[in-house]
Amino acid sequence: DADVTQTPRNRITKTGKRIMLECSQTKGHDRMYWYRQDPGLGLRLIYYSFDVKDINKGEISDGYSVSRQAQAKFSLSLESAIPNQTALYFCATSDGTDSNQPQHFGDGTRLSIL
Amino acid sequence: AQKVTQAQTEISVVEKEDVTLDCVYETRDTTYYLFWYKQPPSGELVFLIRRNSFDEQNEISGRYSWNFQKSTSSFNFTITASQVVDSAVYFCALSEPHSSASKIIFGSGTRLSIRP
Protein backbone atom coordinates (compact mmCIF):
# COMPACT_ATOMS: atom_id res chain seq x y z
CA ASP A 1 0.00 0.00 0.00
CA ALA A 2 1.13 3.52 -0.76
CA ASP A 3 2.32 5.63 2.17
CA VAL A 4 0.47 8.71 0.89
CA THR A 5 -2.84 8.02 -0.83
CA GLN A 6 -4.86 10.52 -2.80
CA THR A 7 -8.46 10.04 -3.87
CA PRO A 8 -9.78 10.37 -6.46
CA ARG A 9 -6.95 9.91 -8.96
CA ASN A 10 -8.89 11.64 -11.69
CA ARG A 11 -11.93 13.90 -11.62
CA ILE A 12 -13.83 15.80 -14.26
CA THR A 13 -16.47 18.22 -13.09
CA LYS A 14 -18.31 21.38 -14.08
CA THR A 15 -17.78 25.00 -13.18
CA GLY A 16 -19.44 25.96 -9.92
CA LYS A 17 -19.39 22.50 -8.36
CA ARG A 18 -17.94 21.84 -4.92
CA ILE A 19 -15.12 19.32 -4.99
CA MET A 20 -13.17 17.61 -2.24
CA LEU A 21 -9.84 15.90 -2.71
CA GLU A 22 -8.77 13.51 0.00
CA CYS A 23 -5.30 12.64 1.24
CA SER A 24 -4.42 10.01 3.80
CA GLN A 25 -1.01 8.85 5.01
CA THR A 26 0.38 5.93 6.93
CA LYS A 27 3.81 7.45 7.56
CA GLY A 28 2.89 8.96 10.91
CA HIS A 29 4.11 12.38 9.80
CA ASP A 30 2.80 15.52 11.47
CA ARG A 31 3.22 17.82 8.49
CA MET A 32 1.02 17.69 5.43
CA TYR A 33 0.83 19.86 2.32
CA TRP A 34 -1.27 20.46 -0.77
CA TYR A 35 0.33 21.60 -4.03
CA ARG A 36 -0.89 22.16 -7.52
CA GLN A 37 1.20 21.55 -10.60
CA ASP A 38 0.70 23.46 -13.84
CA PRO A 39 2.79 23.06 -16.99
CA GLY A 40 5.88 25.27 -16.85
CA LEU A 41 5.18 26.47 -13.30
CA GLY A 42 6.44 23.61 -11.18
CA LEU A 43 4.64 22.94 -7.91
CA ARG A 44 2.99 25.73 -5.98
CA LEU A 45 1.92 25.43 -2.37
CA ILE A 46 -1.78 25.87 -1.64
CA TYR A 47 -2.07 25.07 2.09
CA TYR A 48 -0.06 23.27 4.73
CA SER A 49 -0.62 21.89 8.21
CA PHE A 50 1.84 21.07 10.98
CA ASP A 51 -0.62 19.29 13.24
CA VAL A 52 -4.26 18.42 13.68
CA LYS A 53 -6.40 21.54 13.22
CA ASP A 54 -3.35 23.63 12.33
CA ILE A 55 -3.96 25.34 8.97
CA ASN A 56 -1.66 27.72 7.10
CA LYS A 57 -2.02 29.43 3.75
CA GLY A 58 0.49 28.83 1.01
CA GLU A 59 1.21 31.06 -1.96
CA ILE A 60 -2.01 30.33 -3.89
CA SER A 61 -4.75 29.63 -1.32
CA ASP A 62 -7.53 31.75 -2.86
CA GLY A 63 -10.44 29.59 -3.99
CA TYR A 64 -9.38 26.66 -1.82
CA SER A 65 -9.95 25.47 1.73
CA VAL A 66 -8.57 22.57 3.74
CA SER A 67 -9.42 20.47 6.75
CA ARG A 68 -7.09 18.55 9.09
CA GLN A 69 -9.32 16.66 11.50
CA ALA A 70 -6.90 13.79 12.07
CA GLN A 71 -3.15 13.37 11.85
CA ALA A 72 -3.44 10.98 8.94
CA LYS A 73 -5.90 12.97 6.83
CA PHE A 74 -5.73 16.31 5.05
CA SER A 75 -8.51 17.22 2.62
CA LEU A 76 -8.59 19.99 0.04
CA SER A 77 -11.85 21.60 -1.08
CA LEU A 78 -12.75 23.77 -4.01
CA GLU A 79 -15.92 25.51 -2.90
CA SER A 80 -16.97 26.63 -6.37
CA ALA A 81 -14.69 25.20 -9.02
CA ILE A 82 -13.56 27.33 -11.95
CA PRO A 83 -11.73 26.26 -15.13
CA ASN A 84 -8.37 27.78 -14.14
CA GLN A 85 -8.28 25.35 -11.23
CA THR A 86 -7.74 22.58 -13.74
CA ALA A 87 -4.40 21.10 -12.70
CA LEU A 88 -2.58 18.17 -11.17
CA TYR A 89 -2.85 18.26 -7.39
CA PHE A 90 -0.37 16.66 -5.03
CA CYS A 91 -0.56 15.93 -1.34
CA ALA A 92 2.72 15.56 0.55
CA THR A 93 3.89 14.76 4.06
CA SER A 94 7.10 15.34 5.98
CA ASP A 95 8.52 14.38 9.34
CA GLY A 96 7.84 17.14 11.85
CA THR A 97 10.92 16.35 13.93
CA ASP A 98 13.22 17.95 11.34
CA SER A 99 11.96 20.94 9.43
CA ASN A 100 13.96 20.02 6.38
CA GLN A 101 13.21 16.40 5.85
CA PRO A 102 12.22 15.59 2.27
CA GLN A 103 8.56 15.59 1.44
CA HIS A 104 6.84 12.39 0.42
CA PHE A 105 4.23 12.78 -2.28
CA GLY A 106 1.05 11.00 -3.22
CA ASP A 107 0.49 9.94 -6.81
CA GLY A 108 -1.51 13.04 -7.62
CA THR A 109 -5.10 13.88 -8.53
CA ARG A 110 -5.76 15.10 -12.05
CA LEU A 111 -8.63 17.56 -11.88
CA SER A 112 -10.42 18.99 -14.90
CA ILE A 113 -13.00 21.75 -14.57
CA LEU A 114 -15.20 22.18 -17.63
CA ALA B 1 13.20 35.94 -1.07
CA GLN B 2 13.59 32.35 -2.10
CA LYS B 3 13.77 31.51 -5.75
CA VAL B 4 14.77 28.45 -7.75
CA THR B 5 15.55 28.73 -11.45
CA GLN B 6 15.78 25.84 -13.84
CA ALA B 7 16.55 27.60 -17.07
CA GLN B 8 16.43 24.47 -19.21
CA THR B 9 12.79 23.80 -19.99
CA GLU B 10 13.43 20.71 -22.10
CA ILE B 11 16.48 18.64 -22.93
CA SER B 12 16.68 15.78 -25.39
CA VAL B 13 19.71 13.52 -25.74
CA VAL B 14 20.50 10.16 -27.23
CA GLU B 15 20.83 7.20 -24.92
CA LYS B 16 24.26 6.74 -23.31
CA GLU B 17 25.08 10.44 -23.52
CA ASP B 18 25.85 12.33 -20.33
CA VAL B 19 23.47 15.15 -19.46
CA THR B 20 23.54 17.92 -16.85
CA LEU B 21 20.46 19.64 -15.48
CA ASP B 22 21.10 23.10 -14.11
CA CYS B 23 19.65 24.59 -10.95
CA VAL B 24 20.35 28.08 -9.63
CA TYR B 25 18.85 29.30 -6.38
CA GLU B 26 18.47 32.53 -4.44
CA THR B 27 18.27 32.80 -0.69
CA ARG B 28 19.22 35.26 2.05
CA ASP B 29 19.74 32.55 4.63
CA THR B 30 23.08 30.98 5.36
CA THR B 31 21.36 27.76 6.34
CA TYR B 32 19.20 26.09 3.75
CA TYR B 33 18.51 22.79 2.06
CA LEU B 34 18.41 21.82 -1.58
CA PHE B 35 16.52 18.92 -3.13
CA TRP B 36 16.06 17.14 -6.42
CA TYR B 37 12.89 15.27 -7.31
CA LYS B 38 12.06 13.14 -10.34
CA GLN B 39 8.63 12.95 -11.95
CA PRO B 40 8.47 10.05 -14.44
CA PRO B 41 5.71 9.88 -17.07
CA SER B 42 3.51 8.00 -14.62
CA GLY B 43 3.24 11.26 -12.67
CA GLU B 44 4.44 10.50 -9.15
CA LEU B 45 7.16 12.59 -7.52
CA VAL B 46 10.21 10.73 -6.33
CA PHE B 47 12.73 12.20 -3.91
CA LEU B 48 16.32 11.86 -5.15
CA ILE B 49 18.61 13.83 -2.87
CA ARG B 50 18.82 16.43 -0.10
CA ARG B 51 21.86 18.60 0.51
CA ASN B 52 22.37 21.13 3.31
CA SER B 53 24.17 24.41 2.80
CA PHE B 54 27.13 23.43 4.97
CA ASP B 55 27.98 20.36 2.99
CA GLU B 56 29.54 21.22 -0.35
CA GLN B 57 30.83 17.76 -1.04
CA ASN B 58 29.67 16.44 -4.34
CA GLU B 59 27.59 13.32 -4.22
CA ILE B 60 27.51 10.33 -6.51
CA SER B 61 24.88 7.62 -6.55
CA GLY B 62 25.35 5.18 -9.37
CA ARG B 63 24.92 7.09 -12.63
CA TYR B 64 23.65 10.17 -10.80
CA SER B 65 25.88 12.89 -9.41
CA TRP B 66 25.27 16.31 -7.92
CA ASN B 67 27.56 19.32 -7.95
CA PHE B 68 26.82 21.89 -5.23
CA GLN B 69 28.65 25.22 -5.54
CA LYS B 70 27.75 27.96 -3.07
CA SER B 71 29.93 30.47 -4.89
CA THR B 72 27.61 30.33 -7.88
CA SER B 73 24.44 29.34 -5.97
CA SER B 74 24.08 26.27 -8.11
CA PHE B 75 23.12 22.67 -7.46
CA ASN B 76 23.48 20.86 -10.76
CA PHE B 77 22.50 17.29 -11.48
CA THR B 78 24.37 15.06 -13.93
CA ILE B 79 23.24 11.74 -15.33
CA THR B 80 26.06 9.68 -16.78
CA ALA B 81 25.41 7.17 -19.58
CA SER B 82 21.74 8.14 -19.74
CA GLN B 83 19.05 5.54 -20.25
CA VAL B 84 15.52 5.73 -21.61
CA VAL B 85 14.19 5.14 -18.09
CA ASP B 86 15.75 8.44 -17.05
CA SER B 87 13.15 10.25 -19.16
CA ALA B 88 11.19 12.38 -16.72
CA VAL B 89 10.64 15.89 -15.45
CA TYR B 90 13.22 16.83 -12.83
CA PHE B 91 12.58 19.45 -10.18
CA CYS B 92 15.11 21.28 -8.07
CA ALA B 93 13.84 22.73 -4.78
CA LEU B 94 14.98 24.90 -1.85
CA SER B 95 13.90 25.19 1.76
CA GLU B 96 15.00 27.52 4.55
CA PRO B 97 14.64 26.24 8.13
CA HIS B 98 14.18 29.75 9.48
CA SER B 99 11.36 30.68 7.16
CA SER B 100 7.83 30.86 8.53
CA ALA B 101 7.04 27.38 7.31
CA SER B 102 8.77 24.18 6.51
CA LYS B 103 7.81 24.58 2.91
CA ILE B 104 9.82 23.91 -0.16
CA ILE B 105 10.05 26.22 -3.15
CA PHE B 106 10.23 24.31 -6.41
CA GLY B 107 11.77 25.28 -9.70
CA SER B 108 9.65 25.02 -12.82
CA GLY B 109 11.24 21.73 -13.81
CA THR B 110 13.31 20.39 -16.71
CA ARG B 111 11.76 17.82 -19.00
CA LEU B 112 14.43 15.31 -19.97
CA SER B 113 13.87 13.00 -22.93
CA ILE B 114 16.28 10.19 -23.63
CA ARG B 115 16.03 8.87 -27.20
CA PRO B 116 16.96 5.26 -27.90
Side-chain angles (χ1 to χ4, degrees):
Chain A
D1 288 342
D3 293 325
V4 183
T5 302
Q6 292 183 231
T7 55
R9 292 296 313 279
N10 294 280
R11 177 81 184 269
I12 301 173
T13 192
K14 294 181 179 179
T15 298
K17 294 290 187 181
R18 184 178 187 274
I19 301 160
M20 181 179 288
L21 308 184
E22 304 275 9
C23 177
S24 63
Q25 53 122 343
T26 58
K27 300 188 75 68
H29 288 167
D30 289 326
R31 303 183 180 202
M32 298 187 74
Y33 310 80
W34 275 105
Y35 292 89
R36 67 176 278 175
Q37 182 181 10
D38 299 277
L41 294 178
L43 279 80
R44 293 181 292 166
L45 183 65
I46 306 172
Y47 272 96
Y48 59 98
S49 168
F50 285 174
D51 202 347
V52 175
K53 298 190 179 178
D54 174 66
I55 302 296
N56 304 280
K57 291 183 177 181
E59 61 181 297
I60 52 164
S61 58
D62 287 349
Y64 301 95
S65 63
V66 290
S67 174
R68 183 90 185 272
Q69 297 296 323
Q71 190 208 36
K73 296 183 184 297
F74 191 37
S75 59
L76 174 72
S77 294
L78 288 68
E79 296 302 324
S80 179
I82 55 177
N84 74 3
Q85 292 177 310
T86 293
L88 183 57
Y89 290 83
F90 284 101
C91 174
T93 73
S94 67
D95 186 352
T97 60
D98 181 336
S99 64
N100 289 285
Q101 288 295 322
Q103 296 185 0
H104 300 266
F105 289 83
D107 289 340
T109 294
R110 191 168 297 279
L111 179 62
S112 298
I113 314 295
L114 304 178
Chain B
Q2 297 171 295
K3 186 177 180 182
V4 176
T5 301
Q6 295 179 254
Q8 304 152 306
T9 305
E10 293 191 34
I11 300 174
S12 180
V13 301
V14 177
E15 197 172 22
K16 298 184 183 177
E17 287 186 13
D18 299 346
V19 59
T20 295
L21 309 182
D22 297 334
C23 174
V24 174
Y25 61 91
E26 294 178 27
T27 177
R28 293 178 182 166
D29 269 12
T30 56
T31 302
Y32 51 90
Y33 290 76
L34 295 162
F35 303 80
W36 275 95
Y37 286 82
K38 174 182 180 180
Q39 186 178 38
S42 50
E44 72 273 22
L45 281 154
V46 179
F47 165 73
L48 295 178
I49 189 171
R50 179 184 71 160
R51 171 68 67 218
N52 75 58
S53 54
F54 297 109
D55 182 3
E56 287 194 71
Q57 272 194 321
N58 291 332
E59 176 136 351
I60 298 174
S61 176
R63 296 183 298 105
Y64 294 174
S65 62
W66 290 269
N67 184 345
F68 176 31
Q69 293 198 352
K70 291 179 74 170
S71 60
T72 56
S73 297
S74 65
F75 186 43
N76 296 337
F77 173 30
T78 297
I79 301 175
T80 303
S82 61
Q83 300 175 3
V84 173
V85 293
D86 296 326
S87 296
V89 180
Y90 291 87
F91 292 98
C92 179
L94 164 73
S95 76
E96 298 168 343
H98 302 303
S99 66
S100 59
S102 178
K103 60 182 186 287
I104 297 177
I105 300 297
F106 286 83
S108 56
T110 296
R111 181 177 299 278
L112 176 63
S113 298
I114 310 297
R115 309 189 304 274

